């Protein structure tokens, strides 16, 4: 089953949005398979956002992510990478649709509350950066038959 890496950024944690965000993924029917709260090291943040290292906002982005805490999670379910991005909304909150997480809770691109992997291969890479294999929990929610046909 497909997995994605979701991280509630320091602004989302400090604004007490963890519960709401987890609730949205739970209610959608996705399965939480890993979760931890941490203050990321500079190395972790730089590795995570390595593809953006040439951007002018990179240093500020890394500093912001390292200010912590970050709530790092792995969610599992059909098409969760793409659907997760749809639930999160556009990168710039001013362009995110109402009803999306960023569209409901953000204004500034540098404080856009949440990260979600943008493809299945990046999800695998990011899960490997943030979690050890033994931190991913194998379990079967009893309600699965009410979510999947
Ligand atoms: P993530 O889920 O965090 O990866 O966001 P994204 O996939 O929607 O966008 P992208 O990967 O292109 O950018 C990563 C993060 O860099 C964004 O979520 C923003 O926090 C930040 N970012 C992107 N573009 C800008 C920008 O123009 N200015 C600033 N200050 N930050 C930006
Ligand atoms: Mg991205």
């Amino acid at each position: 089953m497909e997995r994605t890496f979701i991280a509630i950024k320091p602004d989302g944690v400090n604004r007490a949005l963890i519960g709401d965000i987890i609730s949205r993924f739970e209610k959608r029917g996705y399965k939480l398979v890993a979760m931890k709260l941490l203050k990321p090291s500079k190395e972790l943040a730089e590795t995570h956002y390595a593809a953006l290292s040439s951007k002018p906002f990179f240093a500020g982005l890394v500093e912001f992510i390292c200010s912590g805490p970050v709530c790092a999670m792995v969610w599992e379910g059909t098409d969760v990478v793409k659907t997760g991005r749809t639930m999160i909304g556009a990168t710039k909150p001013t362009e995110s649709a109402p009803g999306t997480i960023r569209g409901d809770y953000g204004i500034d691109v540098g404080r856009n509350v949440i990260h979600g992997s943008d493809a299945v291969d990046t999800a695998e890479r990011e899960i490997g950066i943030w979690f050890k294999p033994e931190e991913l929990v194998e379990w079967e929610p009893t309600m699965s038959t009410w979510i999947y046909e």
Side-chain angles (χ1 to χ4, degrees):
M1 190 69 93
E2 189 171 297
R3 288 176 170 176
T4 193
F5 173 70
I6 298 289
I8 305 172
K9 298 179 183 181
D11 50 339
V13 176
N14 278 280
R15 291 174 58 197
L17 297 174
I18 291 176
D20 177 274
I21 290 168
I22 288 178
S23 191
R24 287 174 183 235
F25 280 85
E26 281 186 327
K27 286 176 185 167
R28 187 74 190 250
Y30 289 121
K31 178 170 81 170
L32 183 63
V33 296
M35 177 165 74
K36 62 183 166 188
L37 192 72
L38 73 161
K39 205 169 167 190
S41 66
K42 190 165 183 244
E43 187 191 7
L44 176 60
E46 283 178 348
T47 306
H48 173 79
Y49 280 124
L52 300 175
S53 61
S54 62
K55 301 284 185 187
F57 55 82
F58 181 70
L61 176 62
V62 167
E63 189 183 350
F64 170 60
I65 295 296
C66 293
S67 69
V70 166
C71 180
M73 296 175 277
V74 179
W75 287 89
E76 184 181 290
T78 301
D79 243 355
V80 68
V81 171
K82 186 162 165 271
T83 312
R85 293 277 291 186
T86 304
M87 290 166 67
I88 287 170
T91 304
K92 293 181 180 162
T94 49
E95 295 170 3
S96 315
T100 65
I101 294 164
R102 288 170 176 165
D104 286 348
Y105 301 129
I107 297 172
D108 199 313
V109 69
R111 298 289 184 272
N112 63 3
V113 178
I114 183 168
H115 161 82
S117 307
D118 59 14
V120 173
D121 57 343
T122 23
E124 276 173 26
R125 176 185 170 271
E126 290 169 358
I127 291 167
I129 292 169
W130 290 80
F131 289 96
K132 297 179 193 137
E134 61 268 29
E135 289 176 316
L136 305 177
V137 179
E138 295 279 344
W139 67 295
E140 198 51 50
T142 51
M143 66 178 181
S144 291
T145 53
W146 302 103
I147 291 167
Y148 294 104
E149 188 178 3

